[in-house]
Every structure is written in structure tokens, then in C-alpha cells.
Amino acid sequence: MNRNFSVFLTIIFALTIGLSAAFAQKPGSPFKGVINYKITYPDSKMEASQLAMMPQSMKVLMNGNKARIEMAMSGINQVIIMDADQQSTVILIDMMGQKVAMKPNKGADRPSGKEPVVTVTSETKEIAGFTCKKAEIHFGDEKSKESPMIVYYTEGIGNNKLFYDNEYRTLPGIPMEFYYKMQGMNMYMTAVSVEKGKVSGKDFEVPSDYKEMTPDQLRQMFGGN
């Protein structure tokens, strides 16, 4: 279980930095609703039994300047709550009844100061009922130019306002198909449906039964992994 939690905690930190930027909307955006994503692991070297324990789906609830990201894996439920006005992020972890609320360290695991260069191509793709534009992202060096990050995004869901240091911070829309690569593993997120409404103010509140911890305290709680 500690091994599984260690892997999941790595995913949490990586996704927190990226998704907090990717789904931070401009305050006052009219979009209110839910985006459901499918998660796949192409080219993964993990065994089938390990892959089965990894997150298979992701739900993103949005209401103007607030977002809530929900994921689950075997025995662990995780929620990321973000507020663009406060520029704050809180991670909620429920592991077999142990409930923890954690604020990630500012600047932790963020990319270096290179400014991402976004090139919007003429290619489009229909994703979850939206016509999405393909964009390529690199950081100015030859290596990233040869192998740019690929993302499909839409301008039809609110107005994305990126404010964290993240590779998607200059993307002019909401990502609908994108990926993260960590420890040699690709995680692909693809939107499968968009539902307007079905979001309330309580979705963005931290429940009172969650205990506040720092990232270091959480690691120590599970053996320092």
C-alpha cells in the first residue's frame, strides 16, 4: 500500500501544478458545469494489475473562477480545489477513511523559468462535442522544438486565464486532450463529455472532517516516501 500511495502522491504533485493552471479560468467567465475525462497510459511499462489500480477517469467541476478536480485509484480518493481569486490550491486526500487537506508548497516541481512558446496549428479535432484546435508547445531549445507537447483545446468553454508557472500558461483555451509524462509514464487525458450546470458552491469548500497537513507531514505519515 505504501508503494501504491507513493506512486499516487507523485501523480498528485505533478497534476496539481499542471491542472491548477490548465483549469484556472478568468474571473467572471460564464461557464458553469462539469468536464469528464478518460485517462489512459500509452506505452506504460507497468503490469496490467498495476495499471488497473491507477486513476482511470477525472472529473473537473468549474464555476467561473473556481475549479474542483476529482480522481480516484484503488483505496484513495483525491480532490484538488482551486480558487483563481485567491490563487490558492488545496488537495484533499481520503485514504481508507484517513482524510487530509494539504496545500502544496508554492513553486514546488514547477518548470524552470523558460517561457513556453505556443504554436496554434490549422488542425482541429471534435472532442466531446467541441471543435478543438491543436497546439504545439516548446520552450525555445532544440530538444523541445523537435518533440513539442501536443494539446487540443477549446475556446468554447469559458476563457482560460493561466497564472501559475506551467507549460500551459499561455494556452488560449481549456485543454480537452493533453498529457503528462513522469517517471517514464505517459498519462493521457481526453474529455468524453461536458455537462452544463450541476455545480454548487459547496463543491469548492473544504469539509470540516479533513485534517490540515503539509506535504512533508503527509510523506512522514506514510513512511517518508
Side-chain angles (χ1 to χ4, degrees), residues 15 18-26 35 37 58-69 82 84 160-164 166 168 173-176 178 180 189:
L15 291 181
L19 297 178
S20 60
F23 296 105
Q25 287 188 275
K26 181 179 179 180
I35 309 175
Y37 291 82
M58 177 173 70
K59 178 184 289 188
V60 179
L61 292 77
M62 303 175 71
N63 186 5
N65 59 343
K66 295 182 179 180
R68 174 189 174 102
I69 301 170
M82 294 165 292
N160 203 34
K161 181 68 174 179
L162 309 182
F163 53 82
Y164 293 111
N166 174 266
Y168 297 125
I174 299 294
M176 297 290 277
F178 57 106
Y180 285 92
M189 287 79 161

PDB file of all heavy atoms in Angstrom, residues 15 18-26 35 37 58-69 82 84 160-164 166 168 173-176 178 180 189:
ATOM      1  N   LEU A  15       0.188  16.635 -11.147  1.00  0.00           N
ATOM      2  CA  LEU A  15      -1.065  17.115 -11.692  1.00  0.00           C
ATOM      3  C   LEU A  15      -1.510  18.415 -11.049  1.00  0.00           C
ATOM      4  O   LEU A  15      -2.132  19.257 -11.688  1.00  0.00           O
ATOM      5  CB  LEU A  15      -2.160  16.058 -11.506  1.00  0.00           C
ATOM      6  CG  LEU A  15      -2.018  14.791 -12.333  1.00  0.00           C
ATOM      7  CD1 LEU A  15      -3.185  13.866 -12.064  1.00  0.00           C
ATOM      8  CD2 LEU A  15      -1.943  15.129 -13.806  1.00  0.00           C
ATOM      9  N   GLY A  18       0.165  21.266 -12.839  1.00  0.00           N
ATOM     10  CA  GLY A  18      -0.327  21.430 -14.193  1.00  0.00           C
ATOM     11  C   GLY A  18      -1.794  21.768 -14.276  1.00  0.00           C
ATOM     12  O   GLY A  18      -2.195  22.700 -14.957  1.00  0.00           O
ATOM     13  N   LEU A  19      -2.638  21.026 -13.570  1.00  0.00           N
ATOM     14  CA  LEU A  19      -4.063  21.224 -13.691  1.00  0.00           C
ATOM     15  C   LEU A  19      -4.540  22.506 -13.051  1.00  0.00           C
ATOM     16  O   LEU A  19      -5.533  23.085 -13.470  1.00  0.00           O
ATOM     17  CB  LEU A  19      -4.808  20.026 -13.081  1.00  0.00           C
ATOM     18  CG  LEU A  19      -4.544  18.702 -13.784  1.00  0.00           C
ATOM     19  CD1 LEU A  19      -5.289  17.587 -13.080  1.00  0.00           C
ATOM     20  CD2 LEU A  19      -4.955  18.763 -15.239  1.00  0.00           C
ATOM     21  N   SER A  20      -3.844  22.962 -12.026  1.00  0.00           N
ATOM     22  CA  SER A  20      -4.246  24.221 -11.410  1.00  0.00           C
ATOM     23  C   SER A  20      -4.128  25.361 -12.406  1.00  0.00           C
ATOM     24  O   SER A  20      -4.884  26.327 -12.373  1.00  0.00           O
ATOM     25  CB  SER A  20      -3.382  24.517 -10.184  1.00  0.00           C
ATOM     26  OG  SER A  20      -2.021  24.614 -10.531  1.00  0.00           O
ATOM     27  N   ALA A  21      -3.183  25.230 -13.323  1.00  0.00           N
ATOM     28  CA  ALA A  21      -3.073  26.244 -14.372  1.00  0.00           C
ATOM     29  C   ALA A  21      -4.043  25.956 -15.506  1.00  0.00           C
ATOM     30  O   ALA A  21      -4.713  26.844 -16.011  1.00  0.00           O
ATOM     31  CB  ALA A  21      -1.650  26.296 -14.907  1.00  0.00           C
ATOM     32  N   ALA A  22      -4.121  24.718 -15.894  1.00  0.00           N
ATOM     33  CA  ALA A  22      -4.912  24.376 -17.064  1.00  0.00           C
ATOM     34  C   ALA A  22      -6.389  24.687 -16.891  1.00  0.00           C
ATOM     35  O   ALA A  22      -7.076  25.007 -17.856  1.00  0.00           O
ATOM     36  CB  ALA A  22      -4.742  22.888 -17.384  1.00  0.00           C
ATOM     37  N   PHE A  23      -6.895  24.608 -15.661  1.00  0.00           N
ATOM     38  CA  PHE A  23      -8.313  24.811 -15.448  1.00  0.00           C
ATOM     39  C   PHE A  23      -8.627  26.060 -14.636  1.00  0.00           C
ATOM     40  O   PHE A  23      -9.714  26.197 -14.112  1.00  0.00           O
ATOM     41  CB  PHE A  23      -8.925  23.582 -14.773  1.00  0.00           C
ATOM     42  CG  PHE A  23      -8.846  22.383 -15.641  1.00  0.00           C
ATOM     43  CD1 PHE A  23      -7.918  21.390 -15.377  1.00  0.00           C
ATOM     44  CD2 PHE A  23      -9.643  22.252 -16.757  1.00  0.00           C
ATOM     45  CE1 PHE A  23      -7.807  20.288 -16.205  1.00  0.00           C
ATOM     46  CE2 PHE A  23      -9.533  21.157 -17.597  1.00  0.00           C
ATOM     47  CZ  PHE A  23      -8.626  20.168 -17.313  1.00  0.00           C
ATOM     48  N   ALA A  24      -7.695  26.985 -14.549  1.00  0.00           N
ATOM     49  CA  ALA A  24      -7.954  28.241 -13.861  1.00  0.00           C
ATOM     50  C   ALA A  24      -8.538  29.227 -14.861  1.00  0.00           C
ATOM     51  O   ALA A  24      -7.871  29.675 -15.770  1.00  0.00           O
ATOM     52  CB  ALA A  24      -6.666  28.796 -13.276  1.00  0.00           C
ATOM     53  N   GLN A  25      -9.805  29.540 -14.690  1.00  0.00           N
ATOM     54  CA  GLN A  25     -10.454  30.416 -15.644  1.00  0.00           C
ATOM     55  C   GLN A  25     -10.344  31.880 -15.257  1.00  0.00           C
ATOM     56  O   GLN A  25     -10.110  32.223 -14.108  1.00  0.00           O
ATOM     57  CB  GLN A  25     -11.941  30.067 -15.735  1.00  0.00           C
ATOM     58  CG  GLN A  25     -12.236  28.780 -16.469  1.00  0.00           C
ATOM     59  CD  GLN A  25     -13.715  28.627 -16.661  1.00  0.00           C
ATOM     60  OE1 GLN A  25     -14.398  28.140 -15.785  1.00  0.00           O
ATOM     61  NE2 GLN A  25     -14.214  29.063 -17.787  1.00  0.00           N
ATOM     62  N   LYS A  26     -10.567  32.727 -16.222  1.00  0.00           N
ATOM     63  CA  LYS A  26     -10.624  34.149 -15.967  1.00  0.00           C
ATOM     64  C   LYS A  26     -11.830  34.445 -15.087  1.00  0.00           C
ATOM     65  O   LYS A  26     -12.937  34.001 -15.374  1.00  0.00           O
ATOM     66  CB  LYS A  26     -10.752  34.913 -17.287  1.00  0.00           C
ATOM     67  CG  LYS A  26     -10.794  36.416 -17.127  1.00  0.00           C
ATOM     68  CD  LYS A  26     -10.899  37.081 -18.481  1.00  0.00           C
ATOM     69  CE  LYS A  26     -10.955  38.589 -18.332  1.00  0.00           C
ATOM     70  NZ  LYS A  26     -11.051  39.260 -19.645  1.00  0.00           N
ATOM     71  N   ILE A  35     -16.657  18.782 -16.723  1.00  0.00           N
ATOM     72  CA  ILE A  35     -15.977  18.124 -17.840  1.00  0.00           C
ATOM     73  C   ILE A  35     -15.495  16.766 -17.335  1.00  0.00           C
ATOM     74  O   ILE A  35     -14.788  16.693 -16.319  1.00  0.00           O
ATOM     75  CB  ILE A  35     -14.782  18.929 -18.355  1.00  0.00           C
ATOM     76  CG1 ILE A  35     -15.175  20.378 -18.650  1.00  0.00           C
ATOM     77  CG2 ILE A  35     -14.206  18.280 -19.621  1.00  0.00           C
ATOM     78  CD1 ILE A  35     -14.001  21.255 -19.057  1.00  0.00           C
ATOM     79  N   TYR A  37     -13.243  13.396 -18.056  1.00  0.00           N
ATOM     80  CA  TYR A  37     -12.096  12.954 -18.847  1.00  0.00           C
ATOM     81  C   TYR A  37     -11.840  11.457 -18.651  1.00  0.00           C
ATOM     82  O   TYR A  37     -12.047  10.912 -17.563  1.00  0.00           O
ATOM     83  CB  TYR A  37     -10.826  13.693 -18.440  1.00  0.00           C
ATOM     84  CG  TYR A  37     -10.794  15.157 -18.788  1.00  0.00           C
ATOM     85  CD1 TYR A  37     -11.416  16.094 -17.975  1.00  0.00           C
ATOM     86  CD2 TYR A  37     -10.121  15.609 -19.923  1.00  0.00           C
ATOM     87  CE1 TYR A  37     -11.390  17.448 -18.282  1.00  0.00           C
ATOM     88  CE2 TYR A  37     -10.082  16.963 -20.239  1.00  0.00           C
ATOM     89  CZ  TYR A  37     -10.723  17.869 -19.412  1.00  0.00           C
ATOM     90  OH  TYR A  37     -10.691  19.211 -19.719  1.00  0.00           O
ATOM     91  N   MET A  58     -11.246  11.272 -14.719  1.00  0.00           N
ATOM     92  CA  MET A  58     -11.078  12.524 -13.990  1.00  0.00           C
ATOM     93  C   MET A  58     -12.303  13.397 -14.247  1.00  0.00           C
ATOM     94  O   MET A  58     -12.790  13.482 -15.373  1.00  0.00           O
ATOM     95  CB  MET A  58      -9.809  13.238 -14.444  1.00  0.00           C
ATOM     96  CG  MET A  58      -9.566  14.586 -13.794  1.00  0.00           C
ATOM     97  SD  MET A  58      -7.942  15.266 -14.253  1.00  0.00           S
ATOM     98  CE  MET A  58      -8.219  15.675 -15.998  1.00  0.00           C
ATOM     99  N   LYS A  59     -12.804  14.018 -13.191  1.00  0.00           N
ATOM    100  CA  LYS A  59     -13.949  14.922 -13.313  1.00  0.00           C
ATOM    101  C   LYS A  59     -13.513  16.315 -12.899  1.00  0.00           C
ATOM    102  O   LYS A  59     -12.900  16.496 -11.852  1.00  0.00           O
ATOM    103  CB  LYS A  59     -15.106  14.444 -12.427  1.00  0.00           C
ATOM    104  CG  LYS A  59     -16.330  15.365 -12.457  1.00  0.00           C
ATOM    105  CD  LYS A  59     -17.403  14.893 -11.483  1.00  0.00           C
ATOM    106  CE  LYS A  59     -18.055  13.617 -11.961  1.00  0.00           C
ATOM    107  NZ  LYS A  59     -19.226  13.253 -11.109  1.00  0.00           N
ATOM    108  N   VAL A  60     -13.824  17.304 -13.729  1.00  0.00           N
ATOM    109  CA  VAL A  60     -13.476  18.693 -13.434  1.00  0.00           C
ATOM    110  C   VAL A  60     -14.757  19.511 -13.334  1.00  0.00           C
ATOM    111  O   VAL A  60     -15.497  19.649 -14.317  1.00  0.00           O
ATOM    112  CB  VAL A  60     -12.560  19.286 -14.522  1.00  0.00           C
ATOM    113  CG1 VAL A  60     -12.236  20.740 -14.197  1.00  0.00           C
ATOM    114  CG2 VAL A  60     -11.277  18.470 -14.632  1.00  0.00           C
ATOM    115  N   LEU A  61     -15.039  20.031 -12.144  1.00  0.00           N
ATOM    116  CA  LEU A  61     -16.187  20.904 -11.922  1.00  0.00           C
ATOM    117  C   LEU A  61     -15.701  22.346 -11.982  1.00  0.00           C
ATOM    118  O   LEU A  61     -14.720  22.699 -11.321  1.00  0.00           O
ATOM    119  CB  LEU A  61     -16.837  20.635 -10.562  1.00  0.00           C
ATOM    120  CG  LEU A  61     -17.547  19.284 -10.363  1.00  0.00           C
ATOM    121  CD1 LEU A  61     -16.551  18.159 -10.134  1.00  0.00           C
ATOM    122  CD2 LEU A  61     -18.511  19.370  -9.188  1.00  0.00           C
ATOM    123  N   MET A  62     -16.384  23.183 -12.761  1.00  0.00           N
ATOM    124  CA  MET A  62     -15.949  24.562 -12.931  1.00  0.00           C
ATOM    125  C   MET A  62     -17.117  25.512 -12.693  1.00  0.00           C
ATOM    126  O   MET A  62     -18.255  25.234 -13.070  1.00  0.00           O
ATOM    127  CB  MET A  62     -15.378  24.766 -14.337  1.00  0.00           C
ATOM    128  CG  MET A  62     -14.226  23.839 -14.656  1.00  0.00           C
ATOM    129  SD  MET A  62     -13.626  23.975 -16.371  1.00  0.00           S
ATOM    130  CE  MET A  62     -12.855  25.574 -16.312  1.00  0.00           C
ATOM    131  N   ASN A  63     -16.809  26.617 -12.059  1.00  0.00           N
ATOM    132  CA  ASN A  63     -17.795  27.680 -11.870  1.00  0.00           C
ATOM    133  C   ASN A  63     -17.063  29.013 -11.896  1.00  0.00           C
ATOM    134  O   ASN A  63     -16.566  29.481 -10.878  1.00  0.00           O
ATOM    135  CB  ASN A  63     -18.549  27.506 -10.548  1.00  0.00           C
ATOM    136  CG  ASN A  63     -19.685  28.520 -10.402  1.00  0.00           C
ATOM    137  OD1 ASN A  63     -19.959  29.290 -11.322  1.00  0.00           O
ATOM    138  ND2 ASN A  63     -20.339  28.523  -9.248  1.00  0.00           N
ATOM    139  N   GLY A  64     -16.941  29.591 -13.078  1.00  0.00           N
ATOM    140  CA  GLY A  64     -16.257  30.867 -13.216  1.00  0.00           C
ATOM    141  C   GLY A  64     -14.795  30.770 -12.831  1.00  0.00           C
ATOM    142  O   GLY A  64     -13.990  30.163 -13.518  1.00  0.00           O
ATOM    143  N   ASN A  65     -14.448  31.338 -11.682  1.00  0.00           N
ATOM    144  CA  ASN A  65     -13.046  31.400 -11.260  1.00  0.00           C
ATOM    145  C   ASN A  65     -12.669  30.287 -10.294  1.00  0.00           C
ATOM    146  O   ASN A  65     -11.631  30.354  -9.639  1.00  0.00           O
ATOM    147  CB  ASN A  65     -12.747  32.761 -10.624  1.00  0.00           C
ATOM    148  CG  ASN A  65     -13.627  33.035  -9.414  1.00  0.00           C
ATOM    149  OD1 ASN A  65     -14.651  32.372  -9.236  1.00  0.00           O
ATOM    150  ND2 ASN A  65     -13.260  34.000  -8.598  1.00  0.00           N
ATOM    151  N   LYS A  66     -13.491  29.277 -10.170  1.00  0.00           N
ATOM    152  CA  LYS A  66     -13.197  28.172  -9.271  1.00  0.00           C
ATOM    153  C   LYS A  66     -13.240  26.846 -10.026  1.00  0.00           C
ATOM    154  O   LYS A  66     -13.988  26.686 -10.994  1.00  0.00           O
ATOM    155  CB  LYS A  66     -14.185  28.133  -8.107  1.00  0.00           C
ATOM    156  CG  LYS A  66     -14.093  29.335  -7.182  1.00  0.00           C
ATOM    157  CD  LYS A  66     -15.060  29.215  -6.022  1.00  0.00           C
ATOM    158  CE  LYS A  66     -14.943  30.429  -5.095  1.00  0.00           C
ATOM    159  NZ  LYS A  66     -15.869  30.332  -3.950  1.00  0.00           N
ATOM    160  N   ALA A  67     -12.425  25.891  -9.568  1.00  0.00           N
ATOM    161  CA  ALA A  67     -12.398  24.569 -10.188  1.00  0.00           C
ATOM    162  C   ALA A  67     -12.185  23.502  -9.122  1.00  0.00           C
ATOM    163  O   ALA A  67     -11.531  23.735  -8.105  1.00  0.00           O
ATOM    164  CB  ALA A  67     -11.300  24.492 -11.240  1.00  0.00           C
ATOM    165  N   ARG A  68     -12.752  22.344  -9.376  1.00  0.00           N
ATOM    166  CA  ARG A  68     -12.594  21.180  -8.494  1.00  0.00           C
ATOM    167  C   ARG A  68     -12.295  19.978  -9.385  1.00  0.00           C
ATOM    168  O   ARG A  68     -13.057  19.666 -10.303  1.00  0.00           O
ATOM    169  CB  ARG A  68     -13.876  20.929  -7.694  1.00  0.00           C
ATOM    170  CG  ARG A  68     -13.858  19.642  -6.846  1.00  0.00           C
ATOM    171  CD  ARG A  68     -15.241  19.378  -6.275  1.00  0.00           C
ATOM    172  NE  ARG A  68     -15.312  18.097  -5.575  1.00  0.00           N
ATOM    173  CZ  ARG A  68     -15.284  17.958  -4.251  1.00  0.00           C
ATOM    174  NH1 ARG A  68     -15.202  19.040  -3.488  1.00  0.00           N
ATOM    175  NH2 ARG A  68     -15.354  16.769  -3.691  1.00  0.00           N
ATOM    176  N   ILE A  69     -11.165  19.312  -9.126  1.00  0.00           N
ATOM    177  CA  ILE A  69     -10.734  18.165  -9.916  1.00  0.00           C
ATOM    178  C   ILE A  69     -10.807  16.915  -9.050  1.00  0.00           C
ATOM    179  O   ILE A  69     -10.234  16.878  -7.957  1.00  0.00           O
ATOM    180  CB  ILE A  69      -9.306  18.363 -10.438  1.00  0.00           C
ATOM    181  CG1 ILE A  69      -9.230  19.632 -11.303  1.00  0.00           C
ATOM    182  CG2 ILE A  69      -8.842  17.148 -11.239  1.00  0.00           C
ATOM    183  CD1 ILE A  69      -7.821  20.040 -11.657  1.00  0.00           C
ATOM    184  N   MET A  82      -9.398  24.672  -6.441  1.00  0.00           N
ATOM    185  CA  MET A  82      -8.638  25.870  -6.786  1.00  0.00           C
ATOM    186  C   MET A  82      -9.540  27.095  -6.828  1.00  0.00           C
ATOM    187  O   MET A  82     -10.702  26.999  -7.231  1.00  0.00           O
ATOM    188  CB  MET A  82      -7.949  25.678  -8.138  1.00  0.00           C
ATOM    189  CG  MET A  82      -6.883  24.601  -8.110  1.00  0.00           C
ATOM    190  SD  MET A  82      -6.399  24.110  -9.776  1.00  0.00           S
ATOM    191  CE  MET A  82      -7.897  23.306 -10.305  1.00  0.00           C
ATOM    192  N   ALA A  84      -9.216  30.994  -8.292  1.00  0.00           N
ATOM    193  CA  ALA A  84      -8.378  31.918  -9.056  1.00  0.00           C
ATOM    194  C   ALA A  84      -8.271  33.278  -8.379  1.00  0.00           C
ATOM    195  O   ALA A  84      -7.245  33.942  -8.475  1.00  0.00           O
ATOM    196  CB  ALA A  84      -8.935  32.087 -10.465  1.00  0.00           C
ATOM    197  N   ASN A 160      -9.900  30.727 -20.622  1.00  0.00           N
ATOM    198  CA  ASN A 160      -8.804  30.279 -19.771  1.00  0.00           C
ATOM    199  C   ASN A 160      -7.844  31.420 -19.434  1.00  0.00           C
ATOM    200  O   ASN A 160      -7.415  32.161 -20.284  1.00  0.00           O
ATOM    201  CB  ASN A 160      -8.037  29.159 -20.489  1.00  0.00           C
ATOM    202  CG  ASN A 160      -7.282  28.284 -19.524  1.00  0.00           C
ATOM    203  OD1 ASN A 160      -7.728  28.059 -18.410  1.00  0.00           O
ATOM    204  ND2 ASN A 160      -6.142  27.792 -19.941  1.00  0.00           N
ATOM    205  N   LYS A 161      -7.522  31.561 -18.166  1.00  0.00           N
ATOM    206  CA  LYS A 161      -6.570  32.564 -17.707  1.00  0.00           C
ATOM    207  C   LYS A 161      -5.513  31.842 -16.893  1.00  0.00           C
ATOM    208  O   LYS A 161      -5.738  31.441 -15.751  1.00  0.00           O
ATOM    209  CB  LYS A 161      -7.281  33.619 -16.856  1.00  0.00           C
ATOM    210  CG  LYS A 161      -6.363  34.729 -16.341  1.00  0.00           C
ATOM    211  CD  LYS A 161      -5.869  35.613 -17.468  1.00  0.00           C
ATOM    212  CE  LYS A 161      -5.084  36.783 -16.930  1.00  0.00           C
ATOM    213  NZ  LYS A 161      -4.576  37.652 -18.008  1.00  0.00           N
ATOM    214  N   LEU A 162      -4.336  31.645 -17.467  1.00  0.00           N
ATOM    215  CA  LEU A 162      -3.289  30.896 -16.798  1.00  0.00           C
ATOM    216  C   LEU A 162      -2.450  31.835 -15.947  1.00  0.00           C
ATOM    217  O   LEU A 162      -1.978  32.846 -16.423  1.00  0.00           O
ATOM    218  CB  LEU A 162      -2.397  30.199 -17.829  1.00  0.00           C
ATOM    219  CG  LEU A 162      -3.144  29.369 -18.891  1.00  0.00           C
ATOM    220  CD1 LEU A 162      -2.156  28.708 -19.819  1.00  0.00           C
ATOM    221  CD2 LEU A 162      -4.047  28.351 -18.254  1.00  0.00           C
ATOM    222  N   PHE A 163      -2.251  31.466 -14.701  1.00  0.00           N
ATOM    223  CA  PHE A 163      -1.478  32.340 -13.819  1.00  0.00           C
ATOM    224  C   PHE A 163      -0.398  31.609 -13.048  1.00  0.00           C
ATOM    225  O   PHE A 163       0.386  32.212 -12.350  1.00  0.00           O
ATOM    226  CB  PHE A 163      -2.390  33.087 -12.830  1.00  0.00           C
ATOM    227  CG  PHE A 163      -3.312  32.198 -12.044  1.00  0.00           C
ATOM    228  CD1 PHE A 163      -2.878  31.532 -10.912  1.00  0.00           C
ATOM    229  CD2 PHE A 163      -4.617  32.042 -12.436  1.00  0.00           C
ATOM    230  CE1 PHE A 163      -3.717  30.724 -10.191  1.00  0.00           C
ATOM    231  CE2 PHE A 163      -5.481  31.228 -11.707  1.00  0.00           C
ATOM    232  CZ  PHE A 163      -5.038  30.577 -10.579  1.00  0.00           C
ATOM    233  N   TYR A 164      -0.343  30.292 -13.126  1.00  0.00           N
ATOM    234  CA  TYR A 164       0.743  29.556 -12.486  1.00  0.00           C
ATOM    235  C   TYR A 164       1.879  29.351 -13.490  1.00  0.00           C
ATOM    236  O   TYR A 164       1.664  29.414 -14.687  1.00  0.00           O
ATOM    237  CB  TYR A 164       0.269  28.182 -12.005  1.00  0.00           C
ATOM    238  CG  TYR A 164      -0.729  28.227 -10.890  1.00  0.00           C
ATOM    239  CD1 TYR A 164      -2.053  27.844 -11.108  1.00  0.00           C
ATOM    240  CD2 TYR A 164      -0.353  28.638  -9.626  1.00  0.00           C
ATOM    241  CE1 TYR A 164      -2.980  27.868 -10.085  1.00  0.00           C
ATOM    242  CE2 TYR A 164      -1.271  28.662  -8.595  1.00  0.00           C
ATOM    243  CZ  TYR A 164      -2.582  28.280  -8.830  1.00  0.00           C
ATOM    244  OH  TYR A 164      -3.492  28.300  -7.823  1.00  0.00           O
ATOM    245  N   ASN A 166       3.507  27.186 -15.537  1.00  0.00           N
ATOM    246  CA  ASN A 166       3.172  25.877 -16.071  1.00  0.00           C
ATOM    247  C   ASN A 166       3.312  25.899 -17.577  1.00  0.00           C
ATOM    248  O   ASN A 166       3.204  26.947 -18.201  1.00  0.00           O
ATOM    249  CB  ASN A 166       1.736  25.516 -15.669  1.00  0.00           C
ATOM    250  CG  ASN A 166       1.261  24.246 -16.313  1.00  0.00           C
ATOM    251  OD1 ASN A 166       0.635  24.294 -17.359  1.00  0.00           O
ATOM    252  ND2 ASN A 166       1.557  23.124 -15.702  1.00  0.00           N
ATOM    253  N   TYR A 168       1.323  25.127 -19.751  1.00  0.00           N
ATOM    254  CA  TYR A 168       0.100  25.510 -20.448  1.00  0.00           C
ATOM    255  C   TYR A 168      -0.312  26.952 -20.143  1.00  0.00           C
ATOM    256  O   TYR A 168      -1.418  27.364 -20.461  1.00  0.00           O
ATOM    257  CB  TYR A 168      -1.049  24.571 -20.055  1.00  0.00           C
ATOM    258  CG  TYR A 168      -0.832  23.137 -20.449  1.00  0.00           C
ATOM    259  CD1 TYR A 168      -0.905  22.123 -19.496  1.00  0.00           C
ATOM    260  CD2 TYR A 168      -0.553  22.792 -21.767  1.00  0.00           C
ATOM    261  CE1 TYR A 168      -0.705  20.801 -19.860  1.00  0.00           C
ATOM    262  CE2 TYR A 168      -0.341  21.477 -22.131  1.00  0.00           C
ATOM    263  CZ  TYR A 168      -0.422  20.479 -21.169  1.00  0.00           C
ATOM    264  OH  TYR A 168      -0.217  19.177 -21.528  1.00  0.00           O
ATOM    265  N   GLY A 173      -7.072  28.668 -24.150  1.00  0.00           N
ATOM    266  CA  GLY A 173      -8.322  27.921 -24.028  1.00  0.00           C
ATOM    267  C   GLY A 173      -8.227  26.814 -23.000  1.00  0.00           C
ATOM    268  O   GLY A 173      -7.220  26.658 -22.312  1.00  0.00           O
ATOM    269  N   ILE A 174      -9.292  26.025 -22.902  1.00  0.00           N
ATOM    270  CA  ILE A 174      -9.360  24.913 -21.957  1.00  0.00           C
ATOM    271  C   ILE A 174      -8.863  23.635 -22.620  1.00  0.00           C
ATOM    272  O   ILE A 174      -9.377  23.234 -23.668  1.00  0.00           O
ATOM    273  CB  ILE A 174     -10.807  24.703 -21.465  1.00  0.00           C
ATOM    274  CG1 ILE A 174     -11.318  25.946 -20.738  1.00  0.00           C
ATOM    275  CG2 ILE A 174     -10.891  23.482 -20.544  1.00  0.00           C
ATOM    276  CD1 ILE A 174     -10.605  26.250 -19.449  1.00  0.00           C
ATOM    277  N   PRO A 175      -7.871  22.951 -22.053  1.00  0.00           N
ATOM    278  CA  PRO A 175      -7.375  21.696 -22.641  1.00  0.00           C
ATOM    279  C   PRO A 175      -8.458  20.608 -22.632  1.00  0.00           C
ATOM    280  O   PRO A 175      -9.097  20.377 -21.603  1.00  0.00           O
ATOM    281  CB  PRO A 175      -6.218  21.305 -21.713  1.00  0.00           C
ATOM    282  CG  PRO A 175      -5.829  22.568 -21.018  1.00  0.00           C
ATOM    283  CD  PRO A 175      -7.105  23.335 -20.855  1.00  0.00           C
ATOM    284  N   MET A 176      -8.635  19.961 -23.755  1.00  0.00           N
ATOM    285  CA  MET A 176      -9.607  18.875 -23.862  1.00  0.00           C
ATOM    286  C   MET A 176      -8.916  17.536 -24.117  1.00  0.00           C
ATOM    287  O   MET A 176      -9.497  16.480 -23.893  1.00  0.00           O
ATOM    288  CB  MET A 176     -10.597  19.173 -24.986  1.00  0.00           C
ATOM    289  CG  MET A 176     -11.432  20.427 -24.744  1.00  0.00           C
ATOM    290  SD  MET A 176     -12.632  20.226 -23.409  1.00  0.00           S
ATOM    291  CE  MET A 176     -13.970  19.427 -24.306  1.00  0.00           C
ATOM    292  N   PHE A 178      -4.806  16.181 -23.539  1.00  0.00           N
ATOM    293  CA  PHE A 178      -3.443  16.571 -23.184  1.00  0.00           C
ATOM    294  C   PHE A 178      -2.810  15.442 -22.382  1.00  0.00           C
ATOM    295  O   PHE A 178      -3.458  14.446 -22.072  1.00  0.00           O
ATOM    296  CB  PHE A 178      -3.435  17.876 -22.381  1.00  0.00           C
ATOM    297  CG  PHE A 178      -4.255  17.854 -21.120  1.00  0.00           C
ATOM    298  CD1 PHE A 178      -3.641  17.784 -19.885  1.00  0.00           C
ATOM    299  CD2 PHE A 178      -5.639  17.913 -21.164  1.00  0.00           C
ATOM    300  CE1 PHE A 178      -4.390  17.763 -18.713  1.00  0.00           C
ATOM    301  CE2 PHE A 178      -6.399  17.901 -20.002  1.00  0.00           C
ATOM    302  CZ  PHE A 178      -5.770  17.826 -18.776  1.00  0.00           C
ATOM    303  N   TYR A 180       0.628  14.226 -19.495  1.00  0.00           N
ATOM    304  CA  TYR A 180       1.783  14.473 -18.634  1.00  0.00           C
ATOM    305  C   TYR A 180       2.707  13.266 -18.732  1.00  0.00           C
ATOM    306  O   TYR A 180       2.244  12.143 -18.868  1.00  0.00           O
ATOM    307  CB  TYR A 180       1.364  14.682 -17.171  1.00  0.00           C
ATOM    308  CG  TYR A 180       0.752  16.026 -16.916  1.00  0.00           C
ATOM    309  CD1 TYR A 180      -0.625  16.191 -16.995  1.00  0.00           C
ATOM    310  CD2 TYR A 180       1.535  17.134 -16.621  1.00  0.00           C
ATOM    311  CE1 TYR A 180      -1.201  17.427 -16.785  1.00  0.00           C
ATOM    312  CE2 TYR A 180       0.971  18.373 -16.407  1.00  0.00           C
ATOM    313  CZ  TYR A 180      -0.402  18.513 -16.483  1.00  0.00           C
ATOM    314  OH  TYR A 180      -0.969  19.741 -16.290  1.00  0.00           O
ATOM    315  N   MET A 189      -5.123  12.483 -20.971  1.00  0.00           N
ATOM    316  CA  MET A 189      -6.457  12.861 -20.549  1.00  0.00           C
ATOM    317  C   MET A 189      -7.245  13.312 -21.775  1.00  0.00           C
ATOM    318  O   MET A 189      -6.813  14.206 -22.499  1.00  0.00           O
ATOM    319  CB  MET A 189      -6.424  14.012 -19.541  1.00  0.00           C
ATOM    320  CG  MET A 189      -5.938  13.613 -18.162  1.00  0.00           C
ATOM    321  SD  MET A 189      -4.155  13.474 -18.080  1.00  0.00           S
ATOM    322  CE  MET A 189      -3.920  13.587 -16.307  1.00  0.00           C
TER     323      MET A 189
END
